[in-house]
Amino acid sequence: MITCLAGGVGAARFLSGLVQVVPPEEITAVVNTGDDIVLHGLHISPDLDTVTYTLAGAINPETGWGLAGETWSAMQSLDRYGGQSWFRLGDRDLATHMYRTQRLAEGAPLHEVTAEITKSWGLDLRVIPMSNDRVETRITLKAGTEIGFQQWFVGQQHATAVSSISFEGAVDSTPAPGVLEAIESADVTVICPSNPIVSIGPLLEVPGVADALIARRDSCVAISPIIAGRALKGPADSLMSDLGHEPSVMGVARLYAKFASVLVVDEADASRAAVVEAEGIRCVVAPTIMSSPAAAADLARATIDAVR
C-alpha cells in the first residue's frame, strides 16, 4: 500500500503517474484542505478537485486546474452584477461545489462527500481530505495585513511579499477517518512534489499526522518541488525565501529530514546531493519534471524504488 501526502498541481501530476505503475486501489492520497474557501455560499476544495479532475483525465491541461472544455456563463453574469468573480469558477466546476455544499449541509462529513465525488468520476484510488474540520491557511503580508490564502494566491496572484503563515483551526482539528491508518499501514509514504509551506504544511499541522510520519520515517520519501532554485509552477520558491528558508533542494531537505528518509531531487541538482545528505536525508537523483504521462510514471517508479 502506498500513501501520498498531496496538494496542488504537482501532487496531482505525480498521482497520475503513480496510478500507471501501481494498482490504483493500493493508493491513498491524503489531500490538503487548508486552501478551501467558502465563496458564493459554496464550499470549494481546490486541491481535492485538482487531484480528482487530473486523475479522471478531465483537468484543463493549460492551467492545471479546473475542467477542460469549460464554459464561463455564470462568471460572465456575475461580472455584470459586479459580484466577486476574482476566483473563477467554470459552469461545470460549479456543479461539484454545489454538490459538496449540499451534502455537507445535509450532515455528511467531508471525507464521505469526497468519496462520493471521486466515485462518480470513476476513480479507484482512495482520496481523503486531511481533516473534516475547518483548517484555514492565513497569510500575513509584509505590510502587516492578514488575508485568506486564496485572496493572496489568486486575488493577488501571489505577488505580495509574505511575513508569516498560520493554519487557523489546525490545533483543534482531528485527522479525517483513515488518514493516520493510511500512514501507519503504508509500505511507502510519499510526500508529493507540492509546495512544502502551504500544501504540505497544513497536513503536518493536523494533530497526529507529523507524529505518524516520524514513526514511519524509514519508509517515507519526499520529492523536491524546487529545481535549480526555482519552482516550476507556483510560489514555493519565493514563499520559502520570504519565510527564511533557502529556496533550494537544501531548504527542502531541512524541512523534510525529520519526516522522510529519502529526498528525490532533479538531475539539475545532482551536484548538490552531498550537501542534501549532510542534512540527514538520503538523496536520490532522478528526472522530476513531469512533462508527459510517461515522465510522471517514470518519476513514480523512481520514487518508490528510492525507499524500497
Side-chain angles (χ1 to χ4, degrees), residues 1 3 183-191 210-222 256-263 280-282 284 303-308:
M1 301 298 289
T3 296
I183 297 171
E184 292 163 355
S185 64
D187 298 312
V188 176
T189 299
V190 179
I191 300 177
D211 288 342
L213 283 175
I214 292 169
R216 298 301 307 276
R217 178 181 182 272
D218 288 348
S219 59
C220 182
V221 52
Y256 287 155
K258 181 166 64 172
F259 308 105
S261 60
V262 181
L263 180 65
I281 187 168
R282 186 162 62 87
V284 170
T303 300
I304 295 169
D305 290 345
V307 76
R308 278 183 173 170

PDB file of all heavy atoms in Angstrom, residues 1 3 183-191 210-222 256-263 280-282 284 303-308:
ATOM      1  N   MET A   1       0.841  -1.194   0.000  1.00  0.00           N
ATOM      2  CA  MET A   1       0.000   0.000   0.000  1.00  0.00           C
ATOM      3  C   MET A   1       0.880   1.250   0.000  1.00  0.00           C
ATOM      4  O   MET A   1       1.921   1.294   0.661  1.00  0.00           O
ATOM      5  CB  MET A   1      -0.907   0.018   1.232  1.00  0.00           C
ATOM      6  CG  MET A   1      -1.830  -1.182   1.345  1.00  0.00           C
ATOM      7  SD  MET A   1      -2.990  -1.321  -0.025  1.00  0.00           S
ATOM      8  CE  MET A   1      -4.079   0.065   0.318  1.00  0.00           C
ATOM      9  N   THR A   3       0.816   5.487   0.438  1.00  0.00           N
ATOM     10  CA  THR A   3       0.079   6.662   0.891  1.00  0.00           C
ATOM     11  C   THR A   3       0.828   7.901   0.438  1.00  0.00           C
ATOM     12  O   THR A   3       2.051   7.982   0.582  1.00  0.00           O
ATOM     13  CB  THR A   3      -0.064   6.660   2.420  1.00  0.00           C
ATOM     14  OG1 THR A   3      -0.860   5.532   2.803  1.00  0.00           O
ATOM     15  CG2 THR A   3      -0.738   7.941   2.913  1.00  0.00           C
ATOM     16  N   ILE A 183      -1.179   6.197   6.832  1.00  0.00           N
ATOM     17  CA  ILE A 183       0.253   6.426   7.032  1.00  0.00           C
ATOM     18  C   ILE A 183       0.878   5.262   7.799  1.00  0.00           C
ATOM     19  O   ILE A 183       1.943   4.757   7.439  1.00  0.00           O
ATOM     20  CB  ILE A 183       0.485   7.755   7.776  1.00  0.00           C
ATOM     21  CG1 ILE A 183      -0.016   8.942   6.937  1.00  0.00           C
ATOM     22  CG2 ILE A 183       1.969   7.942   8.120  1.00  0.00           C
ATOM     23  CD1 ILE A 183      -0.031  10.264   7.677  1.00  0.00           C
ATOM     24  N   GLU A 184       0.198   4.819   8.836  1.00  0.00           N
ATOM     25  CA  GLU A 184       0.758   3.784   9.709  1.00  0.00           C
ATOM     26  C   GLU A 184       0.872   2.433   9.021  1.00  0.00           C
ATOM     27  O   GLU A 184       1.758   1.635   9.351  1.00  0.00           O
ATOM     28  CB  GLU A 184      -0.103   3.667  10.970  1.00  0.00           C
ATOM     29  CG  GLU A 184      -0.005   4.898  11.872  1.00  0.00           C
ATOM     30  CD  GLU A 184      -1.130   4.987  12.897  1.00  0.00           C
ATOM     31  OE1 GLU A 184      -2.055   4.128  12.831  1.00  0.00           O
ATOM     32  OE2 GLU A 184      -1.092   5.897  13.745  1.00  0.00           O
ATOM     33  N   SER A 185      -0.004   2.162   8.052  1.00  0.00           N
ATOM     34  CA  SER A 185      -0.009   0.852   7.403  1.00  0.00           C
ATOM     35  C   SER A 185       0.671   0.849   6.039  1.00  0.00           C
ATOM     36  O   SER A 185       0.758  -0.198   5.393  1.00  0.00           O
ATOM     37  CB  SER A 185      -1.461   0.362   7.243  1.00  0.00           C
ATOM     38  OG  SER A 185      -2.187   1.229   6.377  1.00  0.00           O
ATOM     39  N   ALA A 186       1.158   1.995   5.598  1.00  0.00           N
ATOM     40  CA  ALA A 186       1.721   2.091   4.249  1.00  0.00           C
ATOM     41  C   ALA A 186       3.061   1.377   4.142  1.00  0.00           C
ATOM     42  O   ALA A 186       3.889   1.443   5.052  1.00  0.00           O
ATOM     43  CB  ALA A 186       1.888   3.562   3.858  1.00  0.00           C
ATOM     44  N   ASP A 187       3.264   0.706   3.007  1.00  0.00           N
ATOM     45  CA  ASP A 187       4.593   0.177   2.694  1.00  0.00           C
ATOM     46  C   ASP A 187       5.531   1.328   2.329  1.00  0.00           C
ATOM     47  O   ASP A 187       6.713   1.303   2.658  1.00  0.00           O
ATOM     48  CB  ASP A 187       4.503  -0.807   1.527  1.00  0.00           C
ATOM     49  CG  ASP A 187       3.643  -2.009   1.848  1.00  0.00           C
ATOM     50  OD1 ASP A 187       3.833  -2.606   2.920  1.00  0.00           O
ATOM     51  OD2 ASP A 187       2.767  -2.344   1.037  1.00  0.00           O
ATOM     52  N   VAL A 188       4.960   2.306   1.629  1.00  0.00           N
ATOM     53  CA  VAL A 188       5.704   3.505   1.235  1.00  0.00           C
ATOM     54  C   VAL A 188       4.796   4.710   1.435  1.00  0.00           C
ATOM     55  O   VAL A 188       3.625   4.675   1.042  1.00  0.00           O
ATOM     56  CB  VAL A 188       6.156   3.446  -0.243  1.00  0.00           C
ATOM     57  CG1 VAL A 188       6.848   4.750  -0.643  1.00  0.00           C
ATOM     58  CG2 VAL A 188       7.070   2.257  -0.495  1.00  0.00           C
ATOM     59  N   THR A 189       5.336   5.758   2.040  1.00  0.00           N
ATOM     60  CA  THR A 189       4.628   7.034   2.116  1.00  0.00           C
ATOM     61  C   THR A 189       5.411   8.045   1.283  1.00  0.00           C
ATOM     62  O   THR A 189       6.633   8.147   1.410  1.00  0.00           O
ATOM     63  CB  THR A 189       4.513   7.536   3.561  1.00  0.00           C
ATOM     64  OG1 THR A 189       3.775   6.593   4.330  1.00  0.00           O
ATOM     65  CG2 THR A 189       3.795   8.883   3.615  1.00  0.00           C
ATOM     66  N   VAL A 190       4.697   8.768   0.435  1.00  0.00           N
ATOM     67  CA  VAL A 190       5.318   9.750  -0.455  1.00  0.00           C
ATOM     68  C   VAL A 190       4.830  11.148  -0.095  1.00  0.00           C
ATOM     69  O   VAL A 190       3.622  11.388  -0.013  1.00  0.00           O
ATOM     70  CB  VAL A 190       4.975   9.463  -1.935  1.00  0.00           C
ATOM     71  CG1 VAL A 190       5.617  10.515  -2.841  1.00  0.00           C
ATOM     72  CG2 VAL A 190       5.415   8.059  -2.339  1.00  0.00           C
ATOM     73  N   ILE A 191       5.768  12.050   0.145  1.00  0.00           N
ATOM     74  CA  ILE A 191       5.428  13.474   0.228  1.00  0.00           C
ATOM     75  C   ILE A 191       5.594  14.017  -1.184  1.00  0.00           C
ATOM     76  O   ILE A 191       6.708  14.096  -1.704  1.00  0.00           O
ATOM     77  CB  ILE A 191       6.336  14.213   1.223  1.00  0.00           C
ATOM     78  CG1 ILE A 191       6.198  13.613   2.626  1.00  0.00           C
ATOM     79  CG2 ILE A 191       5.988  15.699   1.245  1.00  0.00           C
ATOM     80  CD1 ILE A 191       7.118  14.235   3.671  1.00  0.00           C
ATOM     81  N   ALA A 210       2.064  14.528  11.844  1.00  0.00           N
ATOM     82  CA  ALA A 210       3.524  14.620  11.906  1.00  0.00           C
ATOM     83  C   ALA A 210       4.106  13.456  12.710  1.00  0.00           C
ATOM     84  O   ALA A 210       5.097  12.842  12.307  1.00  0.00           O
ATOM     85  CB  ALA A 210       3.942  15.954  12.514  1.00  0.00           C
ATOM     86  N   ASP A 211       3.486  13.119  13.838  1.00  0.00           N
ATOM     87  CA  ASP A 211       3.991  12.022  14.663  1.00  0.00           C
ATOM     88  C   ASP A 211       3.917  10.698  13.914  1.00  0.00           C
ATOM     89  O   ASP A 211       4.823   9.856  14.033  1.00  0.00           O
ATOM     90  CB  ASP A 211       3.191  11.931  15.965  1.00  0.00           C
ATOM     91  CG  ASP A 211       3.502  13.078  16.922  1.00  0.00           C
ATOM     92  OD1 ASP A 211       4.557  13.731  16.751  1.00  0.00           O
ATOM     93  OD2 ASP A 211       2.691  13.323  17.830  1.00  0.00           O
ATOM     94  N   ALA A 212       2.852  10.500  13.158  1.00  0.00           N
ATOM     95  CA  ALA A 212       2.718   9.262  12.384  1.00  0.00           C
ATOM     96  C   ALA A 212       3.804   9.161  11.324  1.00  0.00           C
ATOM     97  O   ALA A 212       4.359   8.082  11.086  1.00  0.00           O
ATOM     98  CB  ALA A 212       1.328   9.192  11.744  1.00  0.00           C
ATOM     99  N   LEU A 213       4.123  10.280  10.694  1.00  0.00           N
ATOM    100  CA  LEU A 213       5.194  10.276   9.693  1.00  0.00           C
ATOM    101  C   LEU A 213       6.551   9.996  10.329  1.00  0.00           C
ATOM    102  O   LEU A 213       7.349   9.207   9.805  1.00  0.00           O
ATOM    103  CB  LEU A 213       5.245  11.623   8.971  1.00  0.00           C
ATOM    104  CG  LEU A 213       4.195  11.897   7.905  1.00  0.00           C
ATOM    105  CD1 LEU A 213       4.334  13.326   7.395  1.00  0.00           C
ATOM    106  CD2 LEU A 213       4.317  10.915   6.750  1.00  0.00           C
ATOM    107  N   ILE A 214       6.818  10.648  11.437  1.00  0.00           N
ATOM    108  CA  ILE A 214       8.100  10.447  12.111  1.00  0.00           C
ATOM    109  C   ILE A 214       8.275   8.981  12.497  1.00  0.00           C
ATOM    110  O   ILE A 214       9.362   8.408  12.361  1.00  0.00           O
ATOM    111  CB  ILE A 214       8.204  11.367  13.344  1.00  0.00           C
ATOM    112  CG1 ILE A 214       8.303  12.836  12.895  1.00  0.00           C
ATOM    113  CG2 ILE A 214       9.401  10.999  14.208  1.00  0.00           C
ATOM    114  CD1 ILE A 214       8.145  13.842  14.012  1.00  0.00           C
ATOM    115  N   ALA A 215       7.194   8.354  12.954  1.00  0.00           N
ATOM    116  CA  ALA A 215       7.264   6.955  13.358  1.00  0.00           C
ATOM    117  C   ALA A 215       7.550   6.031  12.181  1.00  0.00           C
ATOM    118  O   ALA A 215       8.105   4.943  12.357  1.00  0.00           O
ATOM    119  CB  ALA A 215       5.956   6.545  14.040  1.00  0.00           C
ATOM    120  N   ARG A 216       7.172   6.467  10.971  1.00  0.00           N
ATOM    121  CA  ARG A 216       7.386   5.646   9.773  1.00  0.00           C
ATOM    122  C   ARG A 216       8.399   6.293   8.825  1.00  0.00           C
ATOM    123  O   ARG A 216       8.365   6.063   7.618  1.00  0.00           O
ATOM    124  CB  ARG A 216       6.043   5.440   9.037  1.00  0.00           C
ATOM    125  CG  ARG A 216       4.974   4.708   9.839  1.00  0.00           C
ATOM    126  CD  ARG A 216       5.437   3.316  10.272  1.00  0.00           C
ATOM    127  NE  ARG A 216       5.911   2.525   9.149  1.00  0.00           N
ATOM    128  CZ  ARG A 216       5.105   1.814   8.350  1.00  0.00           C
ATOM    129  NH1 ARG A 216       3.803   1.809   8.554  1.00  0.00           N
ATOM    130  NH2 ARG A 216       5.617   1.125   7.350  1.00  0.00           N
ATOM    131  N   ARG A 217       9.326   7.060   9.379  1.00  0.00           N
ATOM    132  CA  ARG A 217      10.267   7.832   8.565  1.00  0.00           C
ATOM    133  C   ARG A 217      11.042   6.964   7.582  1.00  0.00           C
ATOM    134  O   ARG A 217      11.293   7.360   6.443  1.00  0.00           O
ATOM    135  CB  ARG A 217      11.234   8.588   9.471  1.00  0.00           C
ATOM    136  CG  ARG A 217      12.291   9.404   8.731  1.00  0.00           C
ATOM    137  CD  ARG A 217      13.233  10.105   9.703  1.00  0.00           C
ATOM    138  NE  ARG A 217      14.207  10.912   8.975  1.00  0.00           N
ATOM    139  CZ  ARG A 217      15.374  10.459   8.518  1.00  0.00           C
ATOM    140  NH1 ARG A 217      15.705   9.174   8.702  1.00  0.00           N
ATOM    141  NH2 ARG A 217      16.200  11.268   7.876  1.00  0.00           N
ATOM    142  N   ASP A 218      11.438   5.771   7.998  1.00  0.00           N
ATOM    143  CA  ASP A 218      12.269   4.926   7.144  1.00  0.00           C
ATOM    144  C   ASP A 218      11.580   4.546   5.841  1.00  0.00           C
ATOM    145  O   ASP A 218      12.248   4.250   4.844  1.00  0.00           O
ATOM    146  CB  ASP A 218      12.674   3.652   7.893  1.00  0.00           C
ATOM    147  CG  ASP A 218      13.706   3.917   8.975  1.00  0.00           C
ATOM    148  OD1 ASP A 218      14.266   5.026   8.983  1.00  0.00           O
ATOM    149  OD2 ASP A 218      13.936   3.021   9.804  1.00  0.00           O
ATOM    150  N   SER A 219      10.248   4.551   5.832  1.00  0.00           N
ATOM    151  CA  SER A 219       9.513   4.177   4.617  1.00  0.00           C
ATOM    152  C   SER A 219       8.901   5.384   3.923  1.00  0.00           C
ATOM    153  O   SER A 219       8.043   5.239   3.047  1.00  0.00           O
ATOM    154  CB  SER A 219       8.412   3.165   4.946  1.00  0.00           C
ATOM    155  OG  SER A 219       7.500   3.695   5.895  1.00  0.00           O
ATOM    156  N   CYS A 220       9.348   6.583   4.307  1.00  0.00           N
ATOM    157  CA  CYS A 220       8.794   7.815   3.721  1.00  0.00           C
ATOM    158  C   CYS A 220       9.818   8.469   2.797  1.00  0.00           C
ATOM    159  O   CYS A 220      10.989   8.630   3.160  1.00  0.00           O
ATOM    160  CB  CYS A 220       8.388   8.791   4.817  1.00  0.00           C
ATOM    161  SG  CYS A 220       7.643  10.321   4.198  1.00  0.00           S
ATOM    162  N   VAL A 221       9.377   8.855   1.616  1.00  0.00           N
ATOM    163  CA  VAL A 221      10.224   9.512   0.627  1.00  0.00           C
ATOM    164  C   VAL A 221       9.541  10.805   0.180  1.00  0.00           C
ATOM    165  O   VAL A 221       8.326  10.825  -0.028  1.00  0.00           O
ATOM    166  CB  VAL A 221      10.499   8.593  -0.581  1.00  0.00           C
ATOM    167  CG1 VAL A 221       9.212   8.039  -1.179  1.00  0.00           C
ATOM    168  CG2 VAL A 221      11.309   9.302  -1.663  1.00  0.00           C
ATOM    169  N   ALA A 222      10.314  11.865   0.067  1.00  0.00           N
ATOM    170  CA  ALA A 222       9.790  13.152  -0.396  1.00  0.00           C
ATOM    171  C   ALA A 222      10.393  13.489  -1.755  1.00  0.00           C
ATOM    172  O   ALA A 222      11.491  13.039  -2.093  1.00  0.00           O
ATOM    173  CB  ALA A 222      10.124  14.254   0.616  1.00  0.00           C
ATOM    174  N   TYR A 256      12.095  18.597   5.479  1.00  0.00           N
ATOM    175  CA  TYR A 256      11.550  17.243   5.455  1.00  0.00           C
ATOM    176  C   TYR A 256      12.400  16.188   6.150  1.00  0.00           C
ATOM    177  O   TYR A 256      11.942  15.049   6.315  1.00  0.00           O
ATOM    178  CB  TYR A 256      11.334  16.806   4.005  1.00  0.00           C
ATOM    179  CG  TYR A 256      10.172  17.471   3.311  1.00  0.00           C
ATOM    180  CD1 TYR A 256      10.154  17.601   1.920  1.00  0.00           C
ATOM    181  CD2 TYR A 256       9.078  17.959   4.018  1.00  0.00           C
ATOM    182  CE1 TYR A 256       9.081  18.198   1.265  1.00  0.00           C
ATOM    183  CE2 TYR A 256       8.016  18.568   3.379  1.00  0.00           C
ATOM    184  CZ  TYR A 256       8.022  18.687   1.994  1.00  0.00           C
ATOM    185  OH  TYR A 256       6.963  19.274   1.355  1.00  0.00           O
ATOM    186  N   ALA A 257      13.618  16.516   6.554  1.00  0.00           N
ATOM    187  CA  ALA A 257      14.523  15.488   7.091  1.00  0.00           C
ATOM    188  C   ALA A 257      13.943  14.753   8.294  1.00  0.00           C
ATOM    189  O   ALA A 257      14.235  13.577   8.517  1.00  0.00           O
ATOM    190  CB  ALA A 257      15.863  16.114   7.455  1.00  0.00           C
ATOM    191  N   LYS A 258      13.111  15.413   9.067  1.00  0.00           N
ATOM    192  CA  LYS A 258      12.522  14.787  10.248  1.00  0.00           C
ATOM    193  C   LYS A 258      11.456  13.756   9.881  1.00  0.00           C
ATOM    194  O   LYS A 258      11.192  12.823  10.647  1.00  0.00           O
ATOM    195  CB  LYS A 258      11.917  15.882  11.139  1.00  0.00           C
ATOM    196  CG  LYS A 258      11.301  15.368  12.424  1.00  0.00           C
ATOM    197  CD  LYS A 258      11.040  16.493  13.412  1.00  0.00           C
ATOM    198  CE  LYS A 258      10.007  17.479  12.887  1.00  0.00           C
ATOM    199  NZ  LYS A 258       9.615  18.461  13.934  1.00  0.00           N
ATOM    200  N   PHE A 259      10.866  13.936   8.687  1.00  0.00           N
ATOM    201  CA  PHE A 259       9.725  13.110   8.315  1.00  0.00           C
ATOM    202  C   PHE A 259      10.054  12.031   7.279  1.00  0.00           C
ATOM    203  O   PHE A 259       9.379  11.006   7.210  1.00  0.00           O
ATOM    204  CB  PHE A 259       8.609  13.995   7.745  1.00  0.00           C
ATOM    205  CG  PHE A 259       8.238  15.137   8.632  1.00  0.00           C
ATOM    206  CD1 PHE A 259       8.626  16.437   8.342  1.00  0.00           C
ATOM    207  CD2 PHE A 259       7.506  14.916   9.792  1.00  0.00           C
ATOM    208  CE1 PHE A 259       8.290  17.492   9.170  1.00  0.00           C
ATOM    209  CE2 PHE A 259       7.166  15.960  10.631  1.00  0.00           C
ATOM    210  CZ  PHE A 259       7.553  17.250  10.322  1.00  0.00           C
ATOM    211  N   ALA A 260      11.043  12.275   6.446  1.00  0.00           N
ATOM    212  CA  ALA A 260      11.354  11.373   5.336  1.00  0.00           C
ATOM    213  C   ALA A 260      12.814  10.946   5.404  1.00  0.00           C
ATOM    214  O   ALA A 260      13.684  11.723   5.803  1.00  0.00           O
ATOM    215  CB  ALA A 260      11.073  12.051   4.000  1.00  0.00           C
ATOM    216  N   SER A 261      13.077   9.708   4.988  1.00  0.00           N
ATOM    217  CA  SER A 261      14.451   9.204   4.985  1.00  0.00           C
ATOM    218  C   SER A 261      15.144   9.432   3.655  1.00  0.00           C
ATOM    219  O   SER A 261      16.367   9.304   3.557  1.00  0.00           O
ATOM    220  CB  SER A 261      14.462   7.707   5.313  1.00  0.00           C
ATOM    221  OG  SER A 261      13.720   6.974   4.352  1.00  0.00           O
ATOM    222  N   VAL A 262      14.357   9.770   2.607  1.00  0.00           N
ATOM    223  CA  VAL A 262      14.901   9.955   1.263  1.00  0.00           C
ATOM    224  C   VAL A 262      14.293  11.204   0.643  1.00  0.00           C
ATOM    225  O   VAL A 262      13.095  11.462   0.794  1.00  0.00           O
ATOM    226  CB  VAL A 262      14.596   8.743   0.357  1.00  0.00           C
ATOM    227  CG1 VAL A 262      15.202   8.938  -1.027  1.00  0.00           C
ATOM    228  CG2 VAL A 262      15.087   7.450   0.971  1.00  0.00           C
ATOM    229  N   LEU A 263      15.115  11.968  -0.071  1.00  0.00           N
ATOM    230  CA  LEU A 263      14.634  13.097  -0.861  1.00  0.00           C
ATOM    231  C   LEU A 263      15.035  12.867  -2.314  1.00  0.00           C
ATOM    232  O   LEU A 263      16.217  12.672  -2.617  1.00  0.00           O
ATOM    233  CB  LEU A 263      15.227  14.420  -0.374  1.00  0.00           C
ATOM    234  CG  LEU A 263      14.792  15.672  -1.144  1.00  0.00           C
ATOM    235  CD1 LEU A 263      13.293  15.924  -0.960  1.00  0.00           C
ATOM    236  CD2 LEU A 263      15.596  16.896  -0.710  1.00  0.00           C
ATOM    237  N   GLY A 280      20.986  15.025   6.737  1.00  0.00           N
ATOM    238  CA  GLY A 280      20.459  13.836   7.396  1.00  0.00           C
ATOM    239  C   GLY A 280      19.387  13.102   6.627  1.00  0.00           C
ATOM    240  O   GLY A 280      18.599  12.349   7.211  1.00  0.00           O
ATOM    241  N   ILE A 281      19.360  13.301   5.314  1.00  0.00           N
ATOM    242  CA  ILE A 281      18.363  12.641   4.487  1.00  0.00           C
ATOM    243  C   ILE A 281      19.062  12.125   3.223  1.00  0.00           C
ATOM    244  O   ILE A 281      19.858  12.841   2.613  1.00  0.00           O
ATOM    245  CB  ILE A 281      17.207  13.615   4.143  1.00  0.00           C
ATOM    246  CG1 ILE A 281      16.065  12.915   3.428  1.00  0.00           C
ATOM    247  CG2 ILE A 281      17.691  14.822   3.359  1.00  0.00           C
ATOM    248  CD1 ILE A 281      14.793  13.776   3.329  1.00  0.00           C
ATOM    249  N   ARG A 282      18.819  10.864   2.872  1.00  0.00           N
ATOM    250  CA  ARG A 282      19.482  10.296   1.702  1.00  0.00           C
ATOM    251  C   ARG A 282      18.950  10.972   0.443  1.00  0.00           C
ATOM    252  O   ARG A 282      17.753  11.261   0.341  1.00  0.00           O
ATOM    253  CB  ARG A 282      19.221   8.784   1.642  1.00  0.00           C
ATOM    254  CG  ARG A 282      19.993   8.070   0.535  1.00  0.00           C
ATOM    255  CD  ARG A 282      20.051   6.569   0.801  1.00  0.00           C
ATOM    256  NE  ARG A 282      18.743   5.962   0.814  1.00  0.00           N
ATOM    257  CZ  ARG A 282      18.120   5.508  -0.279  1.00  0.00           C
ATOM    258  NH1 ARG A 282      18.692   5.623  -1.466  1.00  0.00           N
ATOM    259  NH2 ARG A 282      16.933   4.947  -0.178  1.00  0.00           N
ATOM    260  N   VAL A 284      18.396  10.963  -3.681  1.00  0.00           N
ATOM    261  CA  VAL A 284      18.303  10.186  -4.915  1.00  0.00           C
ATOM    262  C   VAL A 284      18.055  11.156  -6.060  1.00  0.00           C
ATOM    263  O   VAL A 284      17.173  12.023  -5.966  1.00  0.00           O
ATOM    264  CB  VAL A 284      17.172   9.147  -4.833  1.00  0.00           C
ATOM    265  CG1 VAL A 284      16.912   8.507  -6.191  1.00  0.00           C
ATOM    266  CG2 VAL A 284      17.504   8.077  -3.800  1.00  0.00           C
ATOM    267  N   THR A 303      10.650   7.030  -7.467  1.00  0.00           N
ATOM    268  CA  THR A 303      10.334   7.428  -6.091  1.00  0.00           C
ATOM    269  C   THR A 303      10.083   6.204  -5.221  1.00  0.00           C
ATOM    270  O   THR A 303      10.615   6.101  -4.108  1.00  0.00           O
ATOM    271  CB  THR A 303       9.114   8.354  -6.077  1.00  0.00           C
ATOM    272  OG1 THR A 303       9.398   9.535  -6.848  1.00  0.00           O
ATOM    273  CG2 THR A 303       8.740   8.763  -4.667  1.00  0.00           C
ATOM    274  N   ILE A 304       9.291   5.284  -5.721  1.00  0.00           N
ATOM    275  CA  ILE A 304       9.009   4.069  -4.941  1.00  0.00           C
ATOM    276  C   ILE A 304      10.283   3.252  -4.764  1.00  0.00           C
ATOM    277  O   ILE A 304      10.588   2.766  -3.663  1.00  0.00           O
ATOM    278  CB  ILE A 304       7.920   3.243  -5.650  1.00  0.00           C
ATOM    279  CG1 ILE A 304       6.609   4.036  -5.667  1.00  0.00           C
ATOM    280  CG2 ILE A 304       7.721   1.905  -4.943  1.00  0.00           C
ATOM    281  CD1 ILE A 304       5.562   3.427  -6.573  1.00  0.00           C
ATOM    282  N   ASP A 305      11.061   3.103  -5.828  1.00  0.00           N
ATOM    283  CA  ASP A 305      12.300   2.338  -5.743  1.00  0.00           C
ATOM    284  C   ASP A 305      13.285   2.974  -4.773  1.00  0.00           C
ATOM    285  O   ASP A 305      14.088   2.268  -4.138  1.00  0.00           O
ATOM    286  CB  ASP A 305      12.952   2.231  -7.131  1.00  0.00           C
ATOM    287  CG  ASP A 305      12.166   1.324  -8.076  1.00  0.00           C
ATOM    288  OD1 ASP A 305      11.298   0.577  -7.594  1.00  0.00           O
ATOM    289  OD2 ASP A 305      12.432   1.387  -9.289  1.00  0.00           O
ATOM    290  N   ALA A 306      13.232   4.299  -4.644  1.00  0.00           N
ATOM    291  CA  ALA A 306      14.188   5.003  -3.784  1.00  0.00           C
ATOM    292  C   ALA A 306      14.075   4.585  -2.336  1.00  0.00           C
ATOM    293  O   ALA A 306      15.077   4.554  -1.605  1.00  0.00           O
ATOM    294  CB  ALA A 306      13.978   6.512  -3.907  1.00  0.00           C
ATOM    295  N   VAL A 307      12.883   4.251  -1.883  1.00  0.00           N
ATOM    296  CA  VAL A 307      12.698   3.896  -0.471  1.00  0.00           C
ATOM    297  C   VAL A 307      12.576   2.387  -0.273  1.00  0.00           C
ATOM    298  O   VAL A 307      12.844   1.874   0.799  1.00  0.00           O
ATOM    299  CB  VAL A 307      11.480   4.648   0.123  1.00  0.00           C
ATOM    300  CG1 VAL A 307      10.169   4.044  -0.318  1.00  0.00           C
ATOM    301  CG2 VAL A 307      11.564   4.719   1.630  1.00  0.00           C
ATOM    302  N   ARG A 308      12.206   1.679  -1.303  1.00  0.00           N
ATOM    303  CA  ARG A 308      12.099   0.230  -1.170  1.00  0.00           C
ATOM    304  C   ARG A 308      13.474  -0.422  -1.246  1.00  0.00           C
ATOM    305  O   ARG A 308      13.696  -1.460  -0.689  1.00  0.00           O
ATOM    306  CB  ARG A 308      11.203  -0.331  -2.297  1.00  0.00           C
ATOM    307  CG  ARG A 308       9.723  -0.198  -1.980  1.00  0.00           C
ATOM    308  CD  ARG A 308       8.871  -0.814  -3.053  1.00  0.00           C
ATOM    309  NE  ARG A 308       7.456  -0.837  -2.659  1.00  0.00           N
ATOM    310  CZ  ARG A 308       6.464  -1.147  -3.490  1.00  0.00           C
ATOM    311  NH1 ARG A 308       6.714  -1.446  -4.754  1.00  0.00           N
ATOM    312  NH2 ARG A 308       5.211  -1.151  -3.068  1.00  0.00           N
TER     313      ARG A 308
END
